Amino acid sequence: MPSGVYRLLMSIKKNWIIIFVVFLLLGLFSYHQYSAIPTKYVRTGARTVNLYTWNGDLWGEGIVTEDNPLWPKGERVSLPIYPMSISKEAEVGFSFNVSGNRVNLTFSRELRVLYYISYDKKRIVTETYSLSKNVSSGRGFEERLIVNISDISQRIKDLSSYLRLPRQESGIEVVGVVTYSGTVDGKNVAGNQTFKGSIELPFEGFYTILGDSQNRTITTTETHKTEVYTHSRKRVFYLLGLVLSGAVALTALGVGLGFRPDEGTLNRLELEAEASKFSKWISRGKLEDFTPVAKVRMSSLSDLVNAAIDMNARAIHDEEKGVYFVVHEGVFYYFKVGGEDRKKDEPSLQKDSGKP
């Protein structure tokens, strides 16, 4: 075990009760904060969603009223232009539909065909030729009218001949109006819409039908709740504090109850670390008996090694006797391992007949 670690354990042993209590309280505080911080909260917001979509059409078709080689009599045909010699009547229709969840609406509508004469873009005469009114419930409706184009054309001619207005204009309009109310997806809704088409008389004896098509999506605002996770960094911080505090407290408890330090072991570990640092200047050997001129006891191994380096010699380690020494010019320099008193520290050197 490194001497630094051993010394640290000795310090912990000396103050282990204080360390244990402090880090136990710190761990309890971290646990309380970790538990008290909410992991998520509910955020309320508003968003726009589609409630329903309506679409409406105003359209028309010619009715074959006269015998001809192209279409059977009574058939509805859709042409870019209709000759009155074959089709004196037309059928106009008005449809309106609502798509959405749980649609329950009441529709009040009218389909009107009118003709007019105007002067300088201001109408002088406006007459309703045909009108249909109805009320129904559900998701939509379809309304139809049959119009005698030849008859309307003749009425316009008669009025024009009677009025004799300069720069006069005339025309036929098809107007569909709907008003609805009720619920869609449990929400109260209401609205109205107007559709305008026309029947044109571009040439004598011919007519065209122009329709109208519209659609729209109606939106609504909904309140929604979203769970949002938060404070994740704070929770991680207190969790780490809890783990580290617990580890330190348990370590202090273990060292306090189980560690039995002594100075001798610490000195030995420090000496081993120091010897490892000076290993390239130390050799292993055995101390033989001889009579030195003088003996010098060094206070530390580093002092002995530094002296050996200055004397251009090597320090010798006698593991059996636990002594490091240098012999130079008959002087015995040594450092004894251990903390005994001075008399015991001195190695036993006996005289012999040989030279040192």
Side-chain angles (χ1 to χ4, degrees), residues 2 22 26-27 105 112 119 136 160 170 177 186 191 197 205 210 220 232 239 267 282 289 293 302 312 314 351:
V22 169
L26 184 59
L105 299 175
R112 184 189 301 267
Y119 168 76
S136 63
S160 297
S170 60
V177 179
L210 301 178
T220 186
S232 57
L239 180 60
N267 293 336
I282 299 174
D289 294 335
V293 176
S302 62
N312 197 23
R314 293 186 65 80
K351 294 183 179 180

Side-chain angles (χ1 to χ4, degrees), residues 19-224:
I19 296 173
F20 175 75
V21 172
V22 169
F23 280 92
L24 178 63
L25 294 176
L26 184 59
L28 292 175
F29 172 76
S30 298
Y31 175 75
H32 175 267
Q33 292 297 106
Y34 175 80
S35 303
I37 295 175
T39 59
K40 58 186 177 181
Y41 70 95
V42 177
R43 181 170 60 191
T44 302
R47 62 183 176 187
T48 300
V49 296
N50 294 339
L51 182 59
Y52 65 94
T53 299
W54 61 257
N55 59 81
D57 289 289
L58 200 62
W59 49 269
E61 294 178 323
I63 302 175
V64 178
T65 56
E66 307 298 327
D67 293 327
N68 67 90
L70 299 177
W71 300 283
K73 195 173 181 180
E75 184 175 345
R76 269 69 171 167
V77 294
S78 180
L79 302 174
I81 190 168
Y82 300 90
M84 292 186 197
S85 59
I86 295 176
S87 175
K88 294 182 179 181
E89 294 181 346
E91 183 177 49
V92 294
F94 178 32
S95 62
F96 190 87
N97 292 282
V98 176
S99 59
N101 295 326
R102 295 182 295 162
V103 177
N104 185 17
L105 299 175
T106 298
F107 301 95
S108 176
R109 73 273 187 178
E110 68 174 41
L111 178 59
R112 184 189 301 267
V113 178
L114 57 88
Y115 59 93
Y116 64 88
I117 294 176
S118 63
Y119 168 76
D120 197 19
K121 297 184 179 181
K122 295 179 181 179
R123 294 191 178 184
I124 304 299
V125 177
T126 300
E127 294 287 342
T128 298
Y129 182 80
S130 184
L131 174 65
S132 174
K133 290 185 177 182
N134 274 306
V135 177
S136 63
S137 299
R139 303 177 70 95
F141 64 84
E142 183 176 87
E143 201 74 25
R144 294 171 181 258
L145 276 177
I146 294 178
V147 183
N148 191 320
I149 307 300
S150 178
D151 183 44
I152 296 179
S153 176
Q154 188 59 48
R155 291 189 185 192
I156 292 174
K157 287 180 182 179
D158 293 343
L159 282 173
S160 297
S161 299
Y162 179 77
L163 294 173
R164 297 179 180 274
L165 297 174
R167 301 191 306 276
Q168 73 174 10
E169 295 178 353
S170 60
I172 305 170
E173 282 188 349
V174 181
V175 181
V177 179
V178 58
T179 300
Y180 61 90
S181 62
T183 60
V184 176
D185 200 18
K187 296 179 176 61
N188 293 326
V189 299
N192 60 81
Q193 197 64 32
T194 300
F195 297 79
K196 290 185 178 182
S198 63
I199 299 174
E200 305 289 339
L201 302 171
F203 309 106
E204 182 71 26
F206 292 88
Y207 67 92
T208 60
I209 302 174
L210 301 178
D212 186 14
S213 181
Q214 302 178 39
N215 63 80
R216 183 178 301 172
T217 297
I218 308 301
T219 61
T220 186
T221 301
E222 286 186 350
T223 300
H224 66 98

